[in-house]
Amino acid sequence: MTISRPVRRLVVSVLALAASCLPALAQAPGQGRESAVLEGVNMAVVMPVDLASSAANAECGLTEQLVNDSIQLTVQSAGLRTELLSQAQPFTTVTPGVYLIPTIATLRDSSSLCVTWLSLKAQSAHTLTLPSTQQRKTVQVLYWDRGMLLSTPRGSHAGAVAAGLRQLAADFGEQWRRDQR
């Protein structure tokens, strides 16, 4: 099977990006509680994914419902209260939370092959005063970030993407569980 030039470029770019992130994703042995960044988080809000930005998402069977269910139900099974943005209440000091942000980028080559980059990150936004200028700025805090590249025939791609998202969500749920101890 021949992969088209745009798909090859995407794969090479994604692999290069993933390789550059590996040192940041590795955990040093013996890290203590100071590395438990999700400690005390008791809510996760799943942000909507922009599937309309690429026609290949629909052509490969990807839907917002598939994405939401794969993430929300899996994280809930880890024990963390999880809601969709459309149903979520604001975070408070009593309910500290993170936003779960899925990213999906899909290409379809001239045959029936679909290639998708999936990632899931957990982040929050905080307003702070910069010491140098005393200006208030909202900053993003990244707690967790993982991704994967999938390449499957079009007919089985939605199932592979759902499984990939469930794996990413399960990995996040496991990290959250470990940080609560």
Side-chain angles (χ1 to χ4, degrees):
M1 168 173 44
T2 303
I3 297 176
S4 67
R5 179 172 282 151
V7 172
R8 267 194 312 256
R9 269 188 263 151
L10 172 69
V11 170
V12 169
S13 297
V14 169
L15 291 176
L17 175 65
S20 71
C21 294
L22 286 178
L25 299 178
Q27 284 188 339
Q31 285 181 330
R33 296 300 305 154
E34 68 276 1
S35 67
V37 296
L38 294 168
E39 184 175 12
V41 168
N42 61 20
M43 183 174 171
V45 173
V46 179
M47 299 298 286
V49 65
D50 179 16
L51 294 176
S53 63
S54 169
N57 287 322
E59 293 168 5
C60 293
L62 307 184
T63 65
E64 192 172 327
Q65 185 74 38
L66 175 134
V67 173
N68 290 342
D69 289 350
S70 298
I71 297 169
Q72 184 179 17
L73 299 175
T74 304
V75 173
Q76 282 176 345
S77 71
L80 179 59
R81 183 174 144 207
T82 308
E83 298 177 356
L84 300 176
L85 178 64
S86 61
Q87 303 159 342
Q89 298 296 314
F91 297 140
T92 66
T93 54
V94 176
T95 311
V98 295
Y99 295 101
L100 293 177
I101 304 169
T103 301
I104 297 177
T106 303
L107 290 176
R108 217 181 105 224
D109 70 358
S110 58
S111 68
S112 62
L113 185 68
C114 294
V115 179
T116 297
W117 167 254
L118 299 175
S119 72
L120 183 64
K121 63 182 173 181
Q123 71 180 41
S124 63
H126 300 278
T127 302
L128 54 90
T129 303
L130 298 176
S132 59
T133 63
Q134 298 303 307
Q135 290 182 340
R136 294 184 56 79
K137 296 284 183 181
T138 300
V139 296
Q140 302 295 318
V141 177
L142 181 64
Y143 294 89
W144 187 90
D145 189 8
R146 301 287 188 282
M148 67 177 66
L149 185 66
L150 298 172
S151 176
T152 64
R154 190 165 103 185
S156 61
H157 198 67
V161 167
L165 287 169
R166 284 191 301 271
Q167 181 62 56
L168 292 172
D171 291 349
F172 170 76
E174 179 58 32
Q175 182 66 52
W176 174 81
R177 222 180 359 261
R178 274 195 309 266
D179 286 358
Q180 302 315 303
R181 296 184 186 142

